[in-house]
């Protein structure tokens, strides 16, 4: 079985973009790959955050991942900071990473622009830590959304550089593209993101879902209810397909196109379907959260398994580097 590695940041708010765009796919990958899923808390340190909230965020995210169907009996689920080899390998990989490549990364530039008061070196070396995550487990497949393609390209470049300098050590990780679902935020403008404030959380209760969907972006050319709408360019209509049956989706789109249904009708249907779809996830996550000891047990087991692989990789890496054995 090929090894898949992917990571998710505990940025506080697991939203439908994470679910539809990544985690639903992770759940399916468990059937065909040896999967390693990592809660990348060290990556999350590169942006403003509240130390008092971090551990709780990790626990909550774990409960949500488990609720979605990440199965610790088949996959390794663990927290990045529980396996110190990630940062050790990141340092080593940084020594073969061209500074220019890092400063050219689109996400580095975007994040620097968004938070000019916090352009830290960790933000710059973020993709090196990401490369270390993947290479530590010699993963060959990395499921990525289009916002991570550039980072994975760099990880591949770093792999080639390391192998060329120190001998064939790591396989080059390949992207694993799936029918790309890039879920936009409720404003219909940018990618759904907690920090942008345009997200709908898996944990949102029904009244919040109704309110958020009520304010979501729709076809801007449809000013009055009698104007025919354009479902293909309407954010709300686009989301229907993920939560309603194909028949209901077709009916809702037709109602929009023929102006027999208004945007408000469309939004109501979406909100109710979402509430129904998310309810079981919310319940399962709540069940897990009621037993934080069980969550810790899952993460403890995951880290233990991960550490064995990581230690083995690092022993070989130190040898390749020519470091004096202790
Ligand atoms: N940078 C990824 C994101 O924000 C998270 C991540 C960290 C990751 N390490 C990874 C993804 C390794 C894939 C592989 O989405």
């Amino acid at each position: 079985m090929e090894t898949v590695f992917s990571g998710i940041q505990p940025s506080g708010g697991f939203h439908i973009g994470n679910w539809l765009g990544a985690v639903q796919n992770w759940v399916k990958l468990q059937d065909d790959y040896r999967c390693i899923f990592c809660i990348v808390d060290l990556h999350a340190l590169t942006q403003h955050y509240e130390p008092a909230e971090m551990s709780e965020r990790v626990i909550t995210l774990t409960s949500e991942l488990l609720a979605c169907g990440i199965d610790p009996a088949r996959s390794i689920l663990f927290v990045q900071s529980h396996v110190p080899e990630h940062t050790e390998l990141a340092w080593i990989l940084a020594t073969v990473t061209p500074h220019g490549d890092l400063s050219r990364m689109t996400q580095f530039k975007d994040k620097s622009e968004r938070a000019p008061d916090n352009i830290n070196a960790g933000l710059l070396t973020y993709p090196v830590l990401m490369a270390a995550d993947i290479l530590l487990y010699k993963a060959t497949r990395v499921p990525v959304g289009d916002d991570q393609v550039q980072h994975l390209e760099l990880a591949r470049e770093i792999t080639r550089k390391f192998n060329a300098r120190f001998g064939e050590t790591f396989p080059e990780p390949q992207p694993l593209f799936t029918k790309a679902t890039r879920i936009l935020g409720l404003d219909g403008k940018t990618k759904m993101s907690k920090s942008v404030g345009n997200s709908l959380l898996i944990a949102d209760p029904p009244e919040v879902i109704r309110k958020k969907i009520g304010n979501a972006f729709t076809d801007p050319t449809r000013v009055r209810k009698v104007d025919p709408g354009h479902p293909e360019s309407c954010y709300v209509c686009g989301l229907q397909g993920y939560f309603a049956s194909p028949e209901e989706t077709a009916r809702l789109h037709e109602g929009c196109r023929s102006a027999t249904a208004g945007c408000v009708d469309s939004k109501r249907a979406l909100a109710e379907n979402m509430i129904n779809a998310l309810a079981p996830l919310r319940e399962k996550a709540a069940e897990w959260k009621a037993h934080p000891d069980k969550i810790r047990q899952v993460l403890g087991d995951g880290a233990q398994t991960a550490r064995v692989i990581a230690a083995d990789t690092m022993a070989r890496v130190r040898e390749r580097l020519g470091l004096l054995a202790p």
Side-chain angles (χ1 to χ4, degrees):
M1 261 198 207
E2 273 191 272
T3 299
V4 157
F5 186 100
S6 202
I8 184 166
Q9 288 197 45
S11 36
F14 181 67
H15 54 64
I16 58 166
N18 301 130
W19 184 48
L20 299 171
V23 175
Q24 260 187 0
N25 180 41
W26 290 8
V27 171
K28 287 199 210 100
L29 291 173
Q30 298 180 116
D31 297 334
D32 301 313
Y33 297 91
R34 169 189 185 237
C35 290
I36 307 180
F37 300 122
C38 183
I39 296 176
V40 291
D41 54 350
L42 299 176
H43 276 109
L45 305 185
T46 58
Q47 283 174 292
H48 288 299
Y49 80 102
E50 196 46 66
E53 287 171 8
M54 183 56 99
S55 63
E56 185 62 18
R57 281 183 178 187
V58 171
I59 293 288
T60 303
L61 178 57
T62 308
S63 72
E64 289 168 325
L65 292 172
L66 292 166
C68 289
I70 298 301
D71 175 7
R74 290 189 290 162
S75 303
I76 305 175
L77 176 64
F78 74 106
V79 179
Q80 191 181 33
S81 65
H82 294 177
V83 183
E85 283 85 350
H86 286 253
T87 44
E88 185 186 359
L89 184 57
W91 171 260
I92 290 162
L93 296 180
T95 66
V96 296
T97 307
H99 175 272
D101 287 6
L102 292 173
S103 57
R104 273 192 294 276
M105 289 285 121
T106 315
Q107 209 160 79
F108 171 65
K109 289 192 265 185
D110 286 351
K111 286 179 180 169
S112 302
E113 239 169 72
R114 257 190 281 148
D117 58 327
N118 190 19
I119 309 177
N120 60 80
L123 210 53
L124 180 72
T125 56
Y126 180 110
V128 184
L129 180 57
M130 188 167 152
D133 295 341
I134 301 164
L135 297 188
L136 207 43
Y137 304 95
K138 301 196 167 81
T140 51
R141 291 285 181 173
V142 182
V144 281
D146 47 9
D147 65 315
Q148 296 297 320
V149 171
Q150 200 184 28
H151 284 164
L152 187 59
E153 261 318 308
L154 182 57
R156 288 159 57 78
E157 176 65 20
I158 293 171
T159 309
R160 289 191 289 267
K161 285 226 153 68
F162 186 97
N163 288 344
R165 172 84 175 84
F166 300 108
E168 203 60 29
T169 308
F170 300 113
E172 238 181 79
Q174 310 284 334
L176 193 63
F177 294 111
T178 40
K179 61 171 177 50
T181 28
R182 183 165 182 253
I183 305 295
L184 288 181
L186 298 170
D187 55 5
K189 291 189 181 78
T190 52
K191 194 183 147 174
M192 186 170 282
S193 149
K194 176 79 194 306
S195 53
V196 179
N198 61 1
S199 61
L200 194 140
L201 307 185
I202 299 293
D204 280 340
E207 59 283 8
V208 173
I209 296 181
R210 288 190 192 103
K211 184 150 173 271
K212 284 186 176 176
I213 295 301
N215 293 327
F217 183 74
T218 48
D219 177 3
T221 65
R222 196 174 185 202
V223 184
R224 298 158 308 164
K225 192 174 169 180
V226 292
D227 297 333
H230 306 85
E232 47 296 321
S233 57
C234 169
Y235 176 74
V236 167
C237 286
L239 270 188
Q240 302 280 17
Y242 296 106
F243 296 95
S245 65
E247 297 75 34
E248 187 184 358
T249 304
R251 194 161 46 71
L252 289 163
H253 286 191
E254 187 43 40
C256 167
R257 219 174 269 121
S258 61
T260 51
C263 294
V264 173
D265 303 314
S266 192
K267 285 175 167 178
R268 262 193 211 126
L270 175 63
E272 295 316 308
N273 284 331
M274 270 185 172
I275 290 166
N276 290 333
L278 299 181
L281 298 184
R282 225 155 41 95
E283 281 161 28
K284 274 185 218 148
E287 270 169 42
W288 275 104
K289 274 211 82 173
H291 302 281
D293 48 320
K294 283 190 189 163
I295 297 179
R296 282 174 186 280
Q297 178 77 47
V298 166
L299 294 176
D301 290 349
Q304 205 173 356
T305 312
R307 249 182 256 125
V308 172
I309 308 170
D312 181 62
T313 303
M314 284 316 298
R316 216 166 311 169
V317 166
R318 288 186 211 106
E319 218 176 84
R320 288 279 156 97
L321 294 168
L323 300 178
L324 175 69

